[in-house]
Amino acid sequence: MYPKPNTHYRVTISYESLPHNKKFFVVLVTGSNSGIGEAIVKLLAILGAQVVITDYFEVRNSRDFTGKVVLVTGSNSGIGEAIVKLLAILGAQVVITGRKETEIRKVSQEVLRLSPKGLKPLEVVADVTKTKDLEKLMSSTIKRFGKLDVLVNNAGIGVMTTIRDKDFITNFDNVFKINVRSGLQLIQLALPYLDQSNGTIITTSSIASLRPGKSPIPYGASKTTVDYITKALAVELGPRIRVNAINPGYILTDELVPFINPDRLSQLIESTPLHRIGQPLDVAKGVVFLASNYEDVKNSRNFTGKVVLVTGSSSGIGEGIVKLFSILGANVVVNGRKDADVQKVVQEIQQLSPYKLKPLGVVAD
């Protein structure tokens, strides 16, 4: 059950009621992105809780995915579950898939309640390591919806093993089969439909591809491979199909629980700039951003009344930044060393501004 928007809840927690003798417990905290709710989340996390943040309703107007069809592998739990829930509340038609039918059914019922138009998701039980299951997954999607706009390769596993373990090579092969091969094969199956929709491919990678550790060699190596494949496919398939990956750090999911204890969890929280561990919804928001087109971005933020100063904005990346901020309603300052370049961008920006706001042009070195 999800909290209704604009509804207040009273929760009383006594110190004696906290499960001190339990290794992990699950707590749902609404309004936990700031203030008292945020403080409760931090305290409970330090005590070993798996805190679930469900502020999907807070971003329900940030994008409009009405009419879009999104297939997310591994969407019966964890990060994938958060992705389909967020996309559903934004209006998308989603495909929920995984190996466990009971989990798929549970997520499907929750997604149906979140969908503003009551769109029923497609449920497909599939093992991504099996070619026939991948073919069934794609054919079922097209049969039901007639198209595909976004493919999210999210299914993956991690195995803690070292080179000295006798089963190291077996584990290595299994990890690559799920984390690398299955995604590539599904992309092949999806390409004809993504070509038609000018679609998007997004893969869940990991910070493990950038920060090696001594035990998860198969996992880190698989994610490094995913990163390379993403870059290569972006070159090969663009600009018709956009290809991106997201590299999360530690994300609080059921899959993470067996690998960390409360002390380690507390260390992770303290080591992050925001002093909190990542949530599946954090990754889901990144996926939604990457799946968005230009019109989605333009209509998703309001910078009216904001003043934005971007150095080096008379050309290149800086020019692109000030133009986007201007479209979103901000007053912008265009800066560069060449007056002609500055004035050219100033004139273009004034035309882009929905309120025809004239930027301030400053020639400066």
Side-chain angles (χ1 to χ4, degrees), residues 43 63 234:
L43 173 60
R63 297 284 195 278

Side-chain angles (χ1 to χ4, degrees), residues 17 37 58 118 192 264 343:
S17 69
E58 295 184 5
R264 177 58 176 156
Q343 295 306 318

Side-chain angles (χ1 to χ4, degrees), residues 180-224:
V180 179
R181 187 181 185 279
S182 69
L184 268 178
Q185 191 170 7
L186 195 56
I187 288 172
Q188 274 195 317
L189 294 170
L191 278 181
Y193 311 106
L194 294 174
D195 274 331
Q196 293 174 8
S197 63
N198 282 27
T200 300
I201 300 167
I202 302 165
T203 303
T204 304
S205 183
S206 170
I207 198 174
S209 69
L210 309 172
R211 295 171 58 181
K214 67 177 182 179
S215 56
I217 292 176
Y219 181 75
S222 73
K223 294 304 184 179
T224 301

Side-chain angles (χ1 to χ4, degrees), residues 56 59 81-91 281 284-285 288:
Y56 296 97
V59 294
E81 178 182 352
I83 293 171
V84 290
K85 285 180 177 178
L86 183 56
L87 284 163
I89 205 169
L90 296 175
L281 186 56
K285 289 177 180 178
V288 165

